[in-house]
C-alpha cells in the first residue's frame, strides 16, 4: 500500500509539471510559483482515498492480472483528476462556509496573501481536469465518456451544494424543513456521486465497460456514500478533532445533519423547543445544550444501530451482483469505511 501511495504521489509530480508548462498560457515565474504553491497546498494533502480507489478498483476489475506501467499511470492520472475535483470543491466550500481549518491546517483562503484570490484558484483547479484528460486520454475510445462523466458528476455535486446552501440560508432558519429525505438528497448529490461513484466509474471506463450497463453499481455506491456522510455527521459532533483533522461546526452552521434530523424525529415537544432555540447559534453555550440533548436522546446508540443495519443491507446488495470482480470492488470500498473513526 505504501508503495502504491508513493507511485501515486510520483504521478502527481508529473501532472503538476505538465500543468505548469501548459503551452496554452504564457507563464511567468510569479504565476508558476503561485500555481505550484496553490496545488501543493490543496491537492495532495488529504487521505487520497478517492484517487487511490481508482487504482484499487481497476485492479479488482482486472481480476488479479498484474497492471502494466501504462495502466498504473493512467489509473493514477484519473485518481488525481478526482483529487483535483475535490480540491476545487473544498477551496470554494471553505469560503462559502467561512471555515477556519481543513486537513489540520488553515483553509487556503485564510492565508494572508491569498484571501479571495482563492475563488479564482478554485476555477483554475477545475480547469486543470480537462487539461489532464486531454494530455493523457485524448486517443482513448472512452475519452468522451470520461469528459461526460466528470461534467455530470460536477453538476450533481454543485447542485447538491446548492440545496445544502439554500437550506441553511440566514434569516430563514426553519428546523421543520429538516427531514431524512432532504438530508438524503443533499448527501446523494453533494457527496456520494463524486466520492463513491466517480472513482469506480473511472475504473469501469478504463476497463472497457459501458456505464449505462452498471446502474446497479451506481445505486449501491450512492447508498454507500449516504452511509459515509451519516458517519461524517456523527463524527462532526462525537469525533475527536485531533483524529478527524477539523473542529466540527455543523451545530453552529445550522447544517441539515443526520443527528439533528434524527433528534427531531425522536424528541418530545419540550426537547424540540430546546433544539429550535439553540441549534444554529455560534455561542458555545447554545452548542453545549444541543450536544447535551444529543446525549440525552442516546444518538450514539441510534447511530450504532443505523451503522449495523446499513452494513447488512449493503452487503446483501453487493452479494446479489452477478460479477465477482465488481463485488470485490464494492466490498473493498465498504471495508474502508465501515466503523471508521476519521
Amino acid at each position: 500500500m505504501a508503495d502504491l501511495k508513493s507511485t501515486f504521489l510520483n504521478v502527481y509530480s508529473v501532472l503538476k509539471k505538465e500543468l505548469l508548462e501548459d503551452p496554452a498560457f504564457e507563464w511567468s515565474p510569479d504565476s508558476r510559483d503561485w500555481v505550484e504553491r496553490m496545488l501543493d497546498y490543496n491537492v495532495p494533502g488529504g487521505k487520497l482515498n478517492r484517487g487511490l480507489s481508482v487504482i484499487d478498483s481497476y485492479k479488482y476489475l482486472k481480476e488479479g492480472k498484474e497492471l502494466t506501467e501504462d495502466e498504473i499511470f493512467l489509473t493514477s492520472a484519473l485518481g488525481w483528476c478526482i483529487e483535483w475535483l475535490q480540491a476545487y470543491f473544498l477551496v470554494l466550500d471553505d469560503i462559502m462556509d467561512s471555515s477556519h481549518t481543513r486537513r489540520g491546517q488553515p483553509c487556503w483562503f485564510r492565508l494572508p496573501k491569498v484571501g479571495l484570490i482563492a475563488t479564482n484558484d478554485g476555477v483554475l483547479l477545475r480547469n486543470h481536469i480537462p487539461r489532464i484528460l486531454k494530455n493523457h486520454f485524448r486517443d482513448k475510445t472512452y475519452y468522451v465518456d470520461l469528459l461526460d462523466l466528470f461534467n455530470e458528476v460536477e453538476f450533481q455535486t454543485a447542485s447538491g451544494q446548492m440545496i445544502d446552501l439554500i437550506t441553511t440560508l440566514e434569516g430563514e432558519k426553519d428546523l421543520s424543513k429538516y427531514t431524512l429525505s432532504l438530508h438524503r438528497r443533499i448527501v446523494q448529490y453533494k457527496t456520494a456521486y463524486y466520492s463513491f461513484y466517480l472513482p469506480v466509474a473511472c475504473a469501469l471506463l478504463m476497463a472497457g465497460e459501458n456505464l449505462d450497463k452498471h446502474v446497479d453499481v451506481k445505486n449501491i455506491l450512492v447508498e454507500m456514500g449516504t452511509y459515509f456522510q451519516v458517519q461524517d455527521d456523527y463524527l462532526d459532533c462525537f469525533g475527536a478533532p485531533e483524529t478527524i483533522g477539523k473542529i466540527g461546526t455543523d451545530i453552529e452552521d445550522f447544517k441539515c445533519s443526520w443527528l439533528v434530523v434524527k433528534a427531531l424525529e425522536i424528541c418530545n415537544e419540550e426537547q424540540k423547543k430546546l433544539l429550535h432555540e439553540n441549534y444554529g447559534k455560534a455561542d458555545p453555550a447554545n452548542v453545549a445544550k444541543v450536544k447535551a440533548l444529543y446525549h440525552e436522546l442516546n444518538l450514539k446508540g441510534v447511530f450504532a444501530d443505523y451503522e449495523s443495519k446499513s452494513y447488512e443491507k449493503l452487503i446483501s446488495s453487493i452479494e446479489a451482483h452477478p460479477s465477482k470482480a465488481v463485488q470485490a470492488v464494492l466490498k473493498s470500498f465498504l471495508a474502508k469505511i465501515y466503523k471508521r473513526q476519521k
Side-chain angles (χ1 to χ4, degrees):
M1 185 63 200
D3 192 38
L4 177 65
K5 199 163 182 176
S6 59
T7 308
F8 188 58
L9 286 165
N10 288 340
V11 174
Y12 166 74
S13 304
V14 173
L15 299 175
K16 181 177 76 170
K17 186 171 184 294
E18 290 171 354
L19 291 166
L20 295 174
E21 290 166 4
D22 194 316
F25 178 63
E26 206 172 301
W27 294 89
S28 66
D30 282 354
S31 58
R32 195 172 268 129
D33 288 349
W34 180 277
V35 175
E36 179 162 27
R37 183 168 159 247
M38 184 270 289
L39 289 176
D40 288 344
Y41 197 90
N42 294 295
V43 179
K47 298 187 288 280
L48 307 179
N49 286 343
R50 292 167 183 83
L52 289 166
S53 55
V54 179
I55 313 169
D56 281 345
S57 302
Y58 187 73
K59 278 185 178 165
Y60 285 116
L61 293 173
K62 296 304 269 186
E63 303 189 62
K65 283 197 200 85
E66 194 65 30
L67 302 194
T68 65
E69 268 189 35
D70 191 45
E71 285 175 315
I72 292 169
F73 183 86
L74 292 175
T75 47
S76 299
L78 289 178
W80 280 114
C81 285
I82 302 174
E83 293 294 336
W84 247 269
L85 187 70
Q86 154 104 330
Y88 148 60
F89 291 142
L90 299 186
V91 165
L92 297 182
D93 235 28
D94 286 342
I95 301 171
M96 291 179 241
D97 293 344
S98 297
S99 299
H100 288 273
T101 55
R102 163 77 60 191
R103 298 167 170 171
Q105 59 180 11
C107 300
W108 176 241
F109 84 99
R110 293 280 178 194
L111 298 192
K113 286 184 181 171
V114 180
L116 289 182
I117 298 174
T119 49
N120 190 64
D121 290 332
V123 174
L124 273 178
L125 285 163
R126 192 263 170 258
N127 276 280
H128 285 160
I129 298 164
R131 311 302 290 166
I132 295 169
L133 294 175
K134 184 179 172 206
N135 283 340
H136 298 284
F137 295 91
R138 205 174 169 187
D139 59 343
K140 303 283 185 260
T141 51
Y142 53 87
Y143 178 53
V144 173
D145 298 310
L146 271 180
L147 291 172
D148 275 349
L149 174 66
F150 274 90
N151 286 335
E152 183 162 299
V153 168
E154 184 196 351
F155 169 66
Q156 289 170 315
T157 310
S159 302
Q161 172 72 343
M162 178 215 25
I163 2 176
D164 194 12
L165 292 166
I166 63 176
T167 306
T168 53
L169 265 178
E170 274 301 328
E172 294 181 29
K173 291 185 170 174
D174 178 11
L175 266 184
S176 58
K177 294 187 293 198
Y178 286 3
T179 60
L180 268 182
S181 70
L182 174 69
H183 178 266
R184 191 182 170 79
R185 281 184 68 226
I186 293 173
V187 167
Q188 178 178 344
Y189 290 102
K190 188 181 164 178
T191 305
Y193 283 108
Y194 96 91
S195 300
F196 286 80
Y197 174 59
L198 183 56
V200 175
C202 283
L204 285 166
L205 285 176
M206 254 193 77
E209 294 286 335
N210 178 344
L211 294 181
D212 295 335
K213 293 184 178 155
H214 289 285
V215 178
D216 50 349
V217 173
K218 182 194 282 191
N219 294 337
I220 292 170
L221 287 160
V222 167
E223 274 304 316
M224 225 181 275
T226 305
Y227 161 61
F228 176 85
Q229 186 58 47
V230 171
Q231 288 177 313
D232 229 45
D233 290 355
Y234 176 83
L235 292 169
D236 186 272
C237 178
F238 295 108
E242 59 277 13
T243 312
I244 61 173
K246 59 186 173 189
I247 295 157
T249 56
D250 284 359
I251 296 171
E252 295 93 316
D253 296 341
F254 199 70
K255 279 281 150 73
C256 181
S257 158
W258 183 83
L259 293 171
V260 79
V261 169
K262 273 292 169 197
L264 286 164
E265 249 182 36
I266 59 182
C267 68
N268 61 33
E269 285 309 311
E270 194 183 326
Q271 292 168 323
K272 192 168 283 184
K273 188 167 173 283
L274 185 138
L275 261 182
H276 279 269
E277 286 166 3
N278 294 283
Y279 199 74
K281 306 257 165 67
D283 188 330
N286 298 103
V287 175
K289 283 181 186 169
V290 174
K291 288 195 174 182
L293 179 63
Y294 285 176
H295 281 288
E296 205 180 306
L297 294 169
N298 185 28
L299 286 187
K300 279 190 172 181
V302 176
F303 170 75
D305 186 49
Y306 165 85
E307 181 155 57
S308 61
K309 284 201 172 83
S310 296
Y311 182 76
E312 284 165 29
K313 194 174 156 209
L314 282 164
I315 284 289
S316 63
S317 310
I318 292 168
E319 288 179 345
H321 196 279
S323 156
K324 282 278 184 260
V326 171
Q327 276 194 37
V329 170
L330 297 171
K331 282 185 174 172
S332 81
F333 258 77
L334 187 52
K336 278 184 205 140
I337 62 167
Y338 184 52
K339 296 209 161 166
R340 71 192 176 95
Q341 296 303 311
K342 61 175 184 176

